[in-house]
Amino acid sequence: MQAKKRYLTLLSAATCLALLLYLGGVQLRAARAPPPAGRHGAAPRPGSEQRPWPRFPDALRSFGEPEGAGGGGGAGRVSPRQRRDGSAGLYRGRRCRMESCFDFGLCQKNGFKVYVYPQQKGEKIAESYQNVLAAIEGSRFYTSDPSQACLFVLSLDTLDRDQLSPQYVHNLRSKVQSLHLWNNGRNHLIFNLYSGTWPDYTEDVGFDIGQAMLAKASISTENFRPNFDVSIPLFSKDHPRTGGEKGFLRFNTIPPLRKYMLVFKGKRYLTGIGSDTRNALYHVHNGEDVVLLTTCKHGKDWQKHKDSRCDKDNTEYEKYDYREMLHNATFCLVPRGRRLGSFRFLEALQAACVPVMLSNGWELPFSEVIDWKQAAVIGDERLLLQIIQDRIFKHISRNSLIWNKHPGGLFVLPQYSSYLGDFPYYYANLGLKPLPTFTAVIHAVTPLVSQSQPVLKLLVAVAKSQYCAKIIVLWNCDKPLPAKHRWPATSVPVIVIEGESKVMSSRFLPYDNIGTDAVLSLDEDTVLSTTEVDFAFTVWQSFPERIVGYPARSHFWDNTKERWGYTSKWTNDYSMVLTGAAIYHKYYHYLYTHYLPASLKNMVDQLANCEDILMNFLVSAVTKLPPIKVTQKKQYKETMMGQTSRASRWADPDHFAQRQSCMNTFASWFGYMPLIHSQMRLDPVLFKDQVSILRKKYRDIERL
């Protein structure tokens, strides 16, 4: 019964445009401080079977990146600088929150009253915006006296800011600035359904909104200002101002069981942004319980761009009645269009059809108060292509456990192995533990000129670890490989590999020589004792899906620069453990190489920097967990930073600035900030306790 009530409540909440009710319920309070907002090279485990894998193209790029229009050449493309300049109106007030850009004093005397500017002579207002204004003027919140108002709404039509639209209002910037009550937008609310235009469809509304709040459809989580803006659903011009049809939930079955399991009917874009997902729907359509229909037949020049599938798609499209499908389906697909929002969202809710969202980065309507995870299936656009890939290559398709257990099918690449025990996420399910040894990979970039160099001391210390199976020295130095006798004698094999390209990303290649689950990644100038290595590995065995190590760093949001920042200061929390002294599962070498786009790896290689940050981004994006820092002598940082080698990256004055830039580029590709802060550090039991040092297993750590 509770499930039914919740379902009905959410359906009715989003079926009508309940913005006024939402605004009326706004508590005038200070908002929270915002965040911007096959086992390669190893014998298989018993019971596993090795099969050769086909090679696939590079992993999917982020769907958050805008695409240019296909077939139009470069003339219509907008440069990044032009795009930034054109979006100034939207992003200039990005730091606005209720406590900084809203005057609560205006609301204390008369309560929550809303004033609508009088319509200016000669100004045209579209019917949809007239309905919005009429709803406000007919509500209990309306006041015709601006001196009593807490909130101000423009009579200038801001709903459609697509420059190619006949509803577009020209010279809006000067018209808004001339309003005597504008006050740089403070305590103003601006409504918008459409922004940007072909080919990029940015979220720019075309004028400086100042400190005004946005009630906007199709707004991205990147540009949404939490507890300040309001995400509203995209509604058509035919959407009723009040009332409307009742919902179609007729039975107690939640969700309702109907003729179709999944349906969609809509446009297919042949070129440009928004085309990827809809172009792939025909792979899933079966004409029975899954009916996904698209048509190319829209726009003036669709025949110029039509592909070999258009005629067939158009014919199939005409066979089905949209309303009949909608009202007889359990799930309704809501893929993004040119913009993030879609009419299908409200239509699905009104039809009591569970929305299946495929629109990465969309801040869903009224997200501040509605938990959409309880009423919608929120998918990832990339899932569609991954599912199709599994159908084509069934011999390496992901099973139900992979798709339905964290981290899901997107991050578990079947090309790596067909055996779940080769991944760090399923040990508990299979009753397994990771292998009890590690392979050390030391990244060397400095010529070997002295037997007292840190890299040789490090090699000896690591080789003494009871858990060390092998040491790989990746020689990325411009000088020739040192003679074999220059390397110290050890009790474990030492393999020196000369990097072919000698780039930073090569340290994370999935080398066949790595035969253990665990990789101990080390910079050549790292100073660690054998005891520290042993303790870090024992900790990692309990957290095999995470990065475990010593040097910690953190990220933060810089309000002044409106961007992510990177800090190496010793603080009470951290969000990264650098791979200069860290242990992680070898699968992350494969994921770094085959999942991340070439653009990010090329950036790392060109800068000879940030590969450790990128690995932390990747692992946190997969696990949704922070890394783990273990006890370490404080001198690690001072020793490492004090290296005077000309090859040391830490001596480069641009090193820190580059890392700041990397943080923002990586966050842009992932579509959000995946790094997670932690205040946890793991120490050995009895560490610093007032007991005899002889009773302590890792006693040497206290002596360092």
Side-chain angles (χ1 to χ4, degrees):
M1 189 64 185
Q2 292 298 321
K4 179 182 177 183
K5 287 172 64 178
R6 180 169 62 247
Y7 192 83
L8 287 170
T9 300
L10 295 180
L11 286 175
S12 60
T15 306
C16 60
L17 184 59
L19 182 59
L20 287 175
L21 295 177
Y22 170 79
L23 289 173
V26 168
Q27 298 179 14
L28 302 178
R29 67 187 187 283
R32 295 189 299 270
R39 299 182 54 83
H40 299 278
R45 296 181 190 271
S48 68
E49 181 181 351
Q50 288 299 105
R51 291 189 286 261
W53 308 124
R55 296 195 61 83
F56 290 89
D58 286 343
L60 291 164
R61 58 167 176 74
S62 169
F63 275 75
E65 295 176 346
E67 299 178 38
R77 296 185 182 272
V78 182
S79 70
R81 181 175 181 177
Q82 288 173 317
R83 190 178 295 116
R84 287 195 301 270
D85 293 344
S87 301
L90 178 62
Y91 304 127
R92 193 169 292 160
R94 177 174 281 179
R95 285 183 288 167
C96 271
R97 299 297 185 267
M98 292 297 289
E99 68 272 16
S100 60
C101 294
F102 192 89
D103 184 358
F104 290 90
L106 296 179
C107 311
Q108 290 176 350
K109 183 177 180 181
N110 300 302
F112 186 71
K113 294 294 182 182
V114 184
Y115 173 75
V116 178
Y117 282 81
Q119 184 175 351
Q120 298 182 17
K121 188 176 180 179
E123 287 293 340
K124 295 181 179 180
I125 303 180
E127 183 180 354
S128 293
Y129 197 52
Q130 287 178 352
N131 287 339
V132 172
L133 299 183
I136 297 174
E137 292 170 344
S139 74
R140 68 182 188 275
F141 306 113
Y142 175 70
T143 178
S144 59
D145 183 355
S147 66
Q148 295 186 2
C150 167
L151 189 68
F152 299 83
V153 176
L154 303 181
S155 62
L156 295 165
D157 191 346
T158 57
L159 278 191
D160 194 339
R161 302 303 297 153
D162 185 337
Q163 296 178 26
L164 300 180
S165 170
Q167 308 296 337
Y168 180 80
V169 176
H170 295 272
N171 304 316
L172 194 56
R173 181 175 304 182
S174 60
K175 292 175 181 178
V176 169
Q177 294 297 332
S178 66
L179 298 173
H180 70 285
L181 297 173
W182 176 242
N183 191 24
N184 194 32
R186 201 171 184 86
N187 287 55
H188 280 66
L189 177 65
I190 293 172
F191 290 85
N192 178 253
L193 294 182
Y194 307 99
S195 60
T197 190
W198 175 270
D200 295 307
Y201 294 93
T202 66
E203 295 181 35
D204 176 34
V205 294
F207 66 98
D208 184 3
I209 66 172
Q211 297 180 347
M213 294 181 287
L214 270 175
K216 180 172 173 54
S218 302
I219 191 169
S220 66
T221 53
E222 180 182 3
N223 294 321
F224 181 75
R225 297 169 295 181
N227 299 105
F228 192 71
D229 293 332
V230 181
S231 176
I232 62 175
L234 184 64
F235 59 91
S236 70
K237 62 181 180 180
D238 300 322
H239 189 84
R241 181 162 66 89
T242 57
E245 290 186 83
K246 292 182 179 180
F248 278 76
L249 187 61
R250 297 284 189 258
F251 305 101
N252 290 332
T253 306
I254 307 294
L257 300 177
R258 295 172 170 171
K259 176 181 178 181
Y260 302 110
M261 184 182 72
L262 177 67
V263 300
F264 172 76
K265 188 177 184 182
K267 298 175 182 177
R268 176 161 72 88
Y269 304 108
L270 299 170
T271 60
I273 192 169
S275 59
D276 290 333
T277 300
R278 296 194 181 196
N279 279 346
L281 294 182
Y282 79 99
H283 289 286
V284 186
H285 168 79
N286 63 19
E288 296 176 359
D289 61 334
V290 177
V291 179
L292 306 178
L293 308 168
T294 59
T295 180
C296 314
K297 203 173 180 178
H298 57 90
K300 296 178 180 179
D301 56 352
W302 71 271
Q303 289 185 325
K304 256 197 316 188
H305 300 288
K306 67 181 293 187
D307 57 27
S308 59
R309 235 180 50 242
C310 276
D311 290 337
K312 181 179 179 181
D313 285 356
N314 293 343
T315 301
E316 189 79 357
Y317 185 87
E318 298 297 333
K319 291 180 181 179
Y320 293 82
D321 178 77
Y322 176 58
R323 287 177 60 84
E324 188 274 335
M325 290 170 54
L326 197 64
H327 296 151
N328 289 280
T330 302
F331 298 95
C332 290
L333 194 65
V334 184
R336 65 163 295 156
R338 291 300 195 194
R339 299 173 179 87
L340 293 172
S342 169
F343 295 140
R344 302 296 177 268
F345 184 63
L346 279 185
E347 292 168 351
L349 289 171
Q350 197 271 340
C353 185
V354 180
V356 178
M357 314 302 299
L358 287 180
S359 185
N360 290 15
W362 181 18
E363 186 72 25
L364 293 180
F366 310 116
S367 55
E368 185 176 340
V369 293
I370 297 179
D371 182 4
W372 286 111
K373 291 180 180 178
Q374 298 189 44
V377 178
I378 302 173
D380 190 307
E381 289 181 73
R382 296 170 293 183
L383 282 172
L384 181 64
L385 300 181
Q386 296 280 8
I387 291 170
I388 296 168
Q389 174 183 289
D390 278 5
R391 289 182 176 182
I392 297 170
F393 300 100
K394 290 185 177 181
H395 61 292
I396 55 167
S397 62
R398 284 154 278 210
N399 62 28
S400 178
L401 176 62
I402 293 176
W403 281 114
N404 294 284
K405 182 173 175 56
H406 186 78
L410 283 179
F411 293 111
V412 177
L413 305 185
Q415 300 91 328
Y416 176 73
S417 177
S418 60
Y419 177 53
L420 292 183
D422 288 342
F423 298 90
Y425 319 112
Y426 310 110
Y427 290 134
N429 296 82
L430 301 174
L432 298 174
K433 293 182 179 180
L435 296 175
T437 55
F438 66 80
T439 300
V441 178
I442 302 176
H443 186 232
V445 295
T446 307
L448 199 59
V449 296
S450 167
Q451 292 302 112
S452 62
Q453 281 183 228
V455 65
L456 300 181
K457 297 178 181 178
L458 177 64
L459 194 151
V460 171
V462 172
K464 290 180 179 179
S465 170
Q466 59 182 309
Y467 306 112
C468 183
K470 184 187 303 179
I471 298 176
I472 297 173
V473 178
L474 178 61
W475 189 255
N476 270 349
C477 178
D478 293 333
K479 301 296 183 181
L481 278 172
K484 190 174 181 179
H485 71 271
R486 300 288 303 277
W487 300 100
T490 61
S491 59
V492 299
V494 176
I495 301 172
V496 183
I497 300 175
E498 185 166 16
E500 294 182 8
S501 54
K502 305 206 171 182
V503 294
M504 295 305 301
S505 293
S506 64
R507 69 183 302 174
F508 297 139
L509 287 173
Y511 294 105
D512 291 339
N513 303 92
I514 301 175
T516 58
D517 291 329
V519 174
L520 171 61
S521 176
L522 298 164
D523 285 343
E524 62 177 1
D525 49 4
T526 297
V527 179
L528 285 178
S529 69
T530 304
T531 302
E532 288 175 299
V533 171
D534 284 351
F535 178 63
F537 179 70
T538 58
V539 171
W540 176 85
Q541 287 180 300
S542 297
F543 304 94
E545 76 282 10
R546 301 210 226 175
I547 298 177
V548 174
Y550 290 101
R553 300 291 185 265
S554 190
H555 75 286
F556 63 94
W557 178 253
D558 189 329
N559 281 320
T560 304
K561 298 179 180 178
E562 296 188 0
R563 63 193 306 236
W564 292 107
Y566 169 92
T567 180
S568 58
K569 293 180 180 179
W570 290 68
T571 61
N572 288 313
D573 60 25
Y574 63 94
S575 57
M576 291 171 277
V577 167
L578 303 188
T579 54
I583 300 176
Y584 49 79
H585 198 281
K586 74 169 184 175
Y587 174 60
Y588 292 124
H589 276 213
Y590 188 89
L591 206 59
Y592 184 101
T593 303
H594 295 284
Y595 177 83
L596 293 175
S599 59
L600 297 189
K601 291 180 286 188
N602 289 341
M603 178 183 182
V604 163
D605 295 340
Q606 289 167 8
L607 295 175
N609 197 352
C610 303
E611 82 290 346
D612 47 1
I613 297 177
L614 184 54
M615 179 61 89
N616 273 269
F617 266 71
L618 176 62
V619 176
S620 289
V622 174
T623 63
K624 304 297 186 292
L625 294 168
I628 293 177
K629 176 175 171 56
V630 291
T631 304
Q632 164 215 13
K633 60 183 183 298
K634 186 176 179 180
Q635 288 78 9
Y636 172 88
K637 175 187 174 186
E638 297 168 353
T639 303
M640 183 174 65
M641 297 293 284
Q643 294 296 323
T644 57
S645 167
R646 289 180 298 172
S648 176
R649 294 179 287 161
W650 307 99
D652 185 347
D654 294 328
H655 178 81
F656 192 78
Q658 290 171 348
R659 292 172 84 77
Q660 303 277 359
S661 178
C662 288
M663 294 283 293
N664 291 276
T665 301
F666 298 163
S668 176
W669 185 84
F670 279 91
Y672 70 107
M673 171 51 73
L675 298 178
I676 300 170
H677 284 102
S678 175
Q679 297 183 1
M680 180 178 73
R681 186 188 74 183
L682 295 187
D683 301 337
V685 176
L686 299 182
F687 180 72
K688 297 291 186 181
D689 284 357
Q690 299 301 310
V691 298
S692 170
I693 195 74
L694 298 177
R695 294 173 58 187
K696 301 182 180 182
K697 182 176 182 179
Y698 299 101
R699 60 180 73 101
D700 290 344
I701 291 181
E702 296 190 31
R703 295 171 176 168
L704 297 172

